[in-house]
Amino acid sequence: MFYLCHDINQVYVSKWQFEFKMKKYLIILITIFVPLLIHAQSFKGYYYNDEYQLYLIINADSCNIEVPDQEIYGQLAGYFGSKRDSRLWLITECKCINDKKVEITVINDYGSEDFTAILTEEKEGYIKFKHKEGSTFKIVVNSKYVKIPKELVLHH
């Protein structure tokens, strides 16, 4: 017999029963955490939209991206930028919704505007951006603001 607890009133458990329970708990933990690790890998890399010349650099699992010329913010989950505008929109928070969706919180590089959006993995190499709430997502083109649509598809 194997004694599990220090309290004399507790039940004795055989060594076999104890090992079986520990293996069962280990399998349950692996089953829970492996899908989370697999999911995080899908929201990583460089994505682009041709129509608005808008790009997204993201690493949702480790938040280790340094934004160029914005080192004061430290390492973030990523950022949006445009080929036609030097201003950036910084991803300050990523929340996993399920294995295909991530909710992001985004601020402009001045910190004066923010919004939340959902990124959905559509098919291999494509991400759908959907504005959820908050400030209007916009970039400057030829000295005028251009609003980015509420829904947008980006590709690798």
Side-chain angles (χ1 to χ4, degrees), residues 69-82:
D69 301 323
Q70 301 287 335
E71 291 81 12
I72 193 165
Y73 291 108
Q75 294 184 336
L76 300 172
Y79 60 93
F80 286 93
S82 173

PDB file of all heavy atoms in Angstrom, residues 69-82:
ATOM      1  N   ASP A  69      11.002  52.543 -34.898  1.00  0.00           N
ATOM      2  CA  ASP A  69      10.945  53.935 -34.432  1.00  0.00           C
ATOM      3  C   ASP A  69       9.905  54.150 -33.333  1.00  0.00           C
ATOM      4  O   ASP A  69       9.504  55.283 -33.076  1.00  0.00           O
ATOM      5  CB  ASP A  69      10.679  54.891 -35.594  1.00  0.00           C
ATOM      6  CG  ASP A  69      11.745  54.800 -36.668  1.00  0.00           C
ATOM      7  OD1 ASP A  69      12.931  54.624 -36.299  1.00  0.00           O
ATOM      8  OD2 ASP A  69      11.400  54.892 -37.854  1.00  0.00           O
ATOM      9  N   GLN A  70       9.426  53.097 -32.701  1.00  0.00           N
ATOM     10  CA  GLN A  70       8.453  53.189 -31.606  1.00  0.00           C
ATOM     11  C   GLN A  70       8.910  52.301 -30.449  1.00  0.00           C
ATOM     12  O   GLN A  70       8.092  51.654 -29.801  1.00  0.00           O
ATOM     13  CB  GLN A  70       7.059  52.749 -32.089  1.00  0.00           C
ATOM     14  CG  GLN A  70       6.505  53.530 -33.237  1.00  0.00           C
ATOM     15  CD  GLN A  70       6.066  54.931 -32.841  1.00  0.00           C
ATOM     16  OE1 GLN A  70       5.745  55.204 -31.695  1.00  0.00           O
ATOM     17  NE2 GLN A  70       6.059  55.823 -33.799  1.00  0.00           N
ATOM     18  N   GLU A  71      10.193  52.283 -30.163  1.00  0.00           N
ATOM     19  CA  GLU A  71      10.756  51.404 -29.141  1.00  0.00           C
ATOM     20  C   GLU A  71      10.199  51.687 -27.750  1.00  0.00           C
ATOM     21  O   GLU A  71      10.228  50.836 -26.871  1.00  0.00           O
ATOM     22  CB  GLU A  71      12.287  51.514 -29.115  1.00  0.00           C
ATOM     23  CG  GLU A  71      12.963  50.933 -30.331  1.00  0.00           C
ATOM     24  CD  GLU A  71      12.972  51.866 -31.543  1.00  0.00           C
ATOM     25  OE1 GLU A  71      12.659  53.066 -31.385  1.00  0.00           O
ATOM     26  OE2 GLU A  71      13.263  51.381 -32.640  1.00  0.00           O
ATOM     27  N   ILE A  72       9.653  52.881 -27.555  1.00  0.00           N
ATOM     28  CA  ILE A  72       9.106  53.253 -26.250  1.00  0.00           C
ATOM     29  C   ILE A  72       7.973  52.316 -25.831  1.00  0.00           C
ATOM     30  O   ILE A  72       7.749  52.105 -24.639  1.00  0.00           O
ATOM     31  CB  ILE A  72       8.636  54.721 -26.255  1.00  0.00           C
ATOM     32  CG1 ILE A  72       8.377  55.182 -24.825  1.00  0.00           C
ATOM     33  CG2 ILE A  72       7.410  54.909 -27.116  1.00  0.00           C
ATOM     34  CD1 ILE A  72       8.255  56.673 -24.671  1.00  0.00           C
ATOM     35  N   TYR A  73       7.273  51.728 -26.783  1.00  0.00           N
ATOM     36  CA  TYR A  73       6.172  50.809 -26.467  1.00  0.00           C
ATOM     37  C   TYR A  73       6.660  49.425 -26.083  1.00  0.00           C
ATOM     38  O   TYR A  73       5.884  48.608 -25.609  1.00  0.00           O
ATOM     39  CB  TYR A  73       5.218  50.696 -27.659  1.00  0.00           C
ATOM     40  CG  TYR A  73       4.435  51.962 -27.922  1.00  0.00           C
ATOM     41  CD1 TYR A  73       4.713  52.760 -29.007  1.00  0.00           C
ATOM     42  CD2 TYR A  73       3.409  52.354 -27.072  1.00  0.00           C
ATOM     43  CE1 TYR A  73       3.997  53.924 -29.252  1.00  0.00           C
ATOM     44  CE2 TYR A  73       2.689  53.515 -27.304  1.00  0.00           C
ATOM     45  CZ  TYR A  73       2.995  54.296 -28.397  1.00  0.00           C
ATOM     46  OH  TYR A  73       2.289  55.435 -28.627  1.00  0.00           O
ATOM     47  N   GLY A  74       7.924  49.124 -26.321  1.00  0.00           N
ATOM     48  CA  GLY A  74       8.453  47.803 -26.014  1.00  0.00           C
ATOM     49  C   GLY A  74       7.989  46.778 -27.044  1.00  0.00           C
ATOM     50  O   GLY A  74       7.643  47.111 -28.173  1.00  0.00           O
ATOM     51  N   GLN A  75       7.961  45.522 -26.655  1.00  0.00           N
ATOM     52  CA  GLN A  75       7.561  44.454 -27.556  1.00  0.00           C
ATOM     53  C   GLN A  75       6.047  44.290 -27.519  1.00  0.00           C
ATOM     54  O   GLN A  75       5.448  44.235 -26.454  1.00  0.00           O
ATOM     55  CB  GLN A  75       8.254  43.153 -27.187  1.00  0.00           C
ATOM     56  CG  GLN A  75       9.746  43.228 -27.413  1.00  0.00           C
ATOM     57  CD  GLN A  75      10.439  41.920 -27.157  1.00  0.00           C
ATOM     58  OE1 GLN A  75       9.954  41.077 -26.425  1.00  0.00           O
ATOM     59  NE2 GLN A  75      11.590  41.740 -27.775  1.00  0.00           N
ATOM     60  N   LEU A  76       5.452  44.204 -28.709  1.00  0.00           N
ATOM     61  CA  LEU A  76       3.998  44.093 -28.850  1.00  0.00           C
ATOM     62  C   LEU A  76       3.649  42.861 -29.673  1.00  0.00           C
ATOM     63  O   LEU A  76       4.516  42.186 -30.211  1.00  0.00           O
ATOM     64  CB  LEU A  76       3.440  45.339 -29.538  1.00  0.00           C
ATOM     65  CG  LEU A  76       3.673  46.676 -28.841  1.00  0.00           C
ATOM     66  CD1 LEU A  76       3.237  47.822 -29.729  1.00  0.00           C
ATOM     67  CD2 LEU A  76       2.921  46.712 -27.527  1.00  0.00           C
ATOM     68  N   ALA A  77       2.344  42.623 -29.804  1.00  0.00           N
ATOM     69  CA  ALA A  77       1.865  41.493 -30.609  1.00  0.00           C
ATOM     70  C   ALA A  77       1.985  41.783 -32.101  1.00  0.00           C
ATOM     71  O   ALA A  77       1.979  40.873 -32.907  1.00  0.00           O
ATOM     72  CB  ALA A  77       0.425  41.172 -30.259  1.00  0.00           C
ATOM     73  N   GLY A  78       2.085  43.055 -32.479  1.00  0.00           N
ATOM     74  CA  GLY A  78       2.228  43.393 -33.884  1.00  0.00           C
ATOM     75  C   GLY A  78       1.752  44.796 -34.175  1.00  0.00           C
ATOM     76  O   GLY A  78       1.507  45.591 -33.265  1.00  0.00           O
ATOM     77  N   TYR A  79       1.605  45.087 -35.486  1.00  0.00           N
ATOM     78  CA  TYR A  79       1.149  46.413 -35.894  1.00  0.00           C
ATOM     79  C   TYR A  79       0.658  46.397 -37.339  1.00  0.00           C
ATOM     80  O   TYR A  79       0.998  45.518 -38.125  1.00  0.00           O
ATOM     81  CB  TYR A  79       2.249  47.457 -35.715  1.00  0.00           C
ATOM     82  CG  TYR A  79       3.516  47.206 -36.496  1.00  0.00           C
ATOM     83  CD1 TYR A  79       3.717  47.764 -37.757  1.00  0.00           C
ATOM     84  CD2 TYR A  79       4.533  46.419 -35.965  1.00  0.00           C
ATOM     85  CE1 TYR A  79       4.876  47.547 -38.466  1.00  0.00           C
ATOM     86  CE2 TYR A  79       5.698  46.189 -36.666  1.00  0.00           C
ATOM     87  CZ  TYR A  79       5.864  46.766 -37.912  1.00  0.00           C
ATOM     88  OH  TYR A  79       7.024  46.537 -38.614  1.00  0.00           O
ATOM     89  N   PHE A  80      -0.172  47.393 -37.646  1.00  0.00           N
ATOM     90  CA  PHE A  80      -0.620  47.662 -38.999  1.00  0.00           C
ATOM     91  C   PHE A  80       0.163  48.854 -39.524  1.00  0.00           C
ATOM     92  O   PHE A  80       0.414  49.816 -38.791  1.00  0.00           O
ATOM     93  CB  PHE A  80      -2.104  48.044 -39.044  1.00  0.00           C
ATOM     94  CG  PHE A  80      -3.053  46.903 -38.828  1.00  0.00           C
ATOM     95  CD1 PHE A  80      -3.532  46.613 -37.560  1.00  0.00           C
ATOM     96  CD2 PHE A  80      -3.482  46.128 -39.894  1.00  0.00           C
ATOM     97  CE1 PHE A  80      -4.425  45.580 -37.348  1.00  0.00           C
ATOM     98  CE2 PHE A  80      -4.368  45.087 -39.702  1.00  0.00           C
ATOM     99  CZ  PHE A  80      -4.850  44.809 -38.425  1.00  0.00           C
ATOM    100  N   GLY A  81       0.488  48.821 -40.802  1.00  0.00           N
ATOM    101  CA  GLY A  81       1.142  49.944 -41.448  1.00  0.00           C
ATOM    102  C   GLY A  81       0.664  50.039 -42.878  1.00  0.00           C
ATOM    103  O   GLY A  81      -0.069  49.175 -43.369  1.00  0.00           O
ATOM    104  N   SER A  82       1.073  51.105 -43.551  1.00  0.00           N
ATOM    105  CA  SER A  82       0.698  51.301 -44.949  1.00  0.00           C
ATOM    106  C   SER A  82       1.909  51.744 -45.739  1.00  0.00           C
ATOM    107  O   SER A  82       2.762  52.461 -45.212  1.00  0.00           O
ATOM    108  CB  SER A  82      -0.410  52.359 -45.042  1.00  0.00           C
ATOM    109  OG  SER A  82      -0.670  52.667 -46.396  1.00  0.00           O
TER     110      SER A  82
END
